[in-house]
Amino acid sequence: MKKIVIPTDFSETSMNAIMYAVHLFKHDISEITILHAYADEVYKNTTTLDREGFDEYKDAYQQKIEKALQKEVAEILEVSPNPKHTYTYVSCFGSLVDEINQIVDKQNADLVVMGTKGKTNDRNITFGSNTLQVIKYVECPVLAVPAAYHREYPKNILFPTDYMLSYKRRELKLLSTLAKNYSATVNFLYVSDFKPSSHRQLDNKMFLDSSFKENRCTNLKTAGTDITASINTTIADQKIDMLVMVNRRHSYLENILYSSTIEDIGLQIKIPFLVLQNISRY
């Protein structure tokens, strides 16, 4: 059974991400939790209220959110009444990252799915700020779905790797199963100066090969040191429709997420982006 957590801000972008996930996992028995964390909204709108007024506003706002979540789940069921899927909704008075982490931990969730633009929808920004925070700090794989992306099934998945990182079998199984469901090809991309592979790289490559032995895979290799440019070029040239990367200490993704501003990340991601967190899970 897949356990999927999907935060919503009730925007079209959020609903697009929800529907993408619902269709993507249509073959899997899934428990889907729709979540809205509203503490920031309440604090923003109650700066001039005393404690009694604050509490009244908070209670009224929670009721409003509960009704909105009920309506959103009803809309999902109307569009996709899949008997394999069950839905719950949660309204949380807390920060988005903290609340997602709590639910992920409580449910031992497999995946968090988010839209990438939220209500701002700035075309010049690769990730919305909320999505970036979730990718950085939530201890669970995160699938970010661009606002304008409406195709349902991946056929060509790009997985850049230098084979220096070890991987968690549970997270690779998530990707392997997803690719297998749609007969998608997993394209491993190694950007290098073609030095001989180390024993660590060879061992990690063997582990990846064994983890994807039931999948169709290719091994791409390109010369150079500009990983971002190589990823962007490969996405265009190979007609990639899902990008997969690992967020871990000393990884390429960690470097660009933590040392760049949102606008300067440079990855031209117009396709779903699956971030594996490579953490210890049950």
Side-chain angles (χ1 to χ4, degrees):
M1 177 182 291
K2 291 284 188 303
K3 294 188 177 182
I4 302 168
V5 177
I6 311 180
T8 181
D9 63 0
F10 308 108
S11 65
E12 290 183 13
T13 298
S14 289
M15 180 56 80
N16 184 60
I18 291 169
M19 297 314 303
Y20 180 81
V22 166
H23 289 300
L24 189 65
F25 293 101
K26 68 179 182 179
H27 301 295
D28 299 284
I29 297 173
S30 303
E31 290 183 0
I32 300 172
T33 301
I34 311 298
L35 174 151
H36 182 79
Y38 61 92
D40 288 345
E41 298 160 43
V42 170
Y43 286 130
K44 179 181 176 182
N45 294 321
T46 56
T47 54
T48 61
L49 299 181
D50 59 17
R51 174 52 65 175
E52 184 178 353
F54 172 84
D55 289 339
E56 289 178 358
Y57 184 92
K58 176 185 170 185
D59 291 343
Y61 200 86
Q62 181 180 12
Q63 293 177 25
K64 175 184 174 183
I65 294 301
E66 292 274 337
K67 290 178 181 178
L69 286 167
Q70 289 177 16
K71 180 181 178 183
E72 191 154 87
V73 169
E75 290 174 0
I76 297 166
L77 288 169
E78 185 175 346
V79 175
S80 181
N82 189 335
K84 293 184 177 182
H85 294 171
T86 57
Y87 294 91
T88 57
Y89 61 84
V90 181
S91 60
C92 308
F93 185 71
S95 71
L96 182 64
V97 169
D98 288 346
E99 295 300 334
I100 293 175
N101 263 326
Q102 285 187 33
I103 288 182
V104 161
D105 184 59
K106 180 180 179 181
Q107 298 184 354
N108 193 22
D110 297 289
L111 182 66
V112 174
V113 181
M114 285 191 75
T116 58
K117 296 297 184 185
K119 293 180 177 177
T120 58
N121 206 27
D122 186 337
R123 293 178 180 273
N124 296 317
I125 296 178
T126 302
F127 303 107
S129 58
N130 283 339
T131 307
L132 190 65
Q133 294 301 306
V134 171
I135 287 173
K136 281 184 179 182
Y137 302 118
V138 166
E139 298 178 352
C140 181
V142 177
L143 177 61
V145 183
Y149 194 87
H150 303 298
R151 282 179 286 169
E152 294 178 4
Y153 314 123
K155 289 299 180 184
N156 260 317
I157 299 170
L158 182 64
F159 192 157
T161 177
D162 60 3
Y163 301 106
M164 290 298 292
L165 297 176
S166 58
Y167 299 100
K168 299 299 179 185
R169 191 174 295 277
R170 172 178 176 174
E171 299 201 344
L172 295 182
K173 182 175 175 57
L174 171 72
L175 175 58
S176 174
T177 302
L178 178 60
K180 187 177 178 181
N181 282 345
Y182 296 106
S183 300
T185 300
V186 181
N187 303 272
F188 297 103
L189 173 65
Y190 180 27
V191 181
S192 100
D193 53 9
F194 295 109
K195 290 180 180 178
S197 296
S198 67
H199 292 298
R200 180 193 300 271
Q201 288 173 306
L202 292 172
D203 286 347
N204 288 333
K205 187 177 185 305
M206 279 197 307
F207 183 73
L208 280 176
D209 289 343
S210 68
S211 297
F212 290 91
K213 62 185 177 183
E214 296 182 352
N215 299 98
R216 196 180 321 171
C217 300
T218 67
N219 291 284
L220 308 174
K221 197 170 183 179
T222 183
T225 57
D226 192 337
I227 300 173
T228 299
S230 296
I231 291 172
N232 288 335
T233 298
T234 305
I235 287 173
D237 291 349
Q238 301 294 328
K239 297 181 180 179
I240 299 297
D241 44 28
M242 180 177 286
L243 175 64
V244 180
M245 297 183 74
V246 178
N247 181 27
R248 179 184 168 179
R249 291 199 53 163
H250 310 304
S251 68
Y252 163 69
L253 184 56
E254 185 201 47
N255 289 339
I256 62 172
L257 288 178
Y258 289 84
S259 63
S260 304
T261 64
I262 295 172
E263 294 84 351
D264 293 336
I265 283 176
L267 287 172
Q268 299 169 9
I269 302 176
K270 299 179 181 178
I271 56 177
F273 181 32
L274 175 60
V275 180
L276 306 180
Q277 304 294 356
N278 209 24
I279 56 174
S280 296
R281 302 297 301 278
Y282 306 130

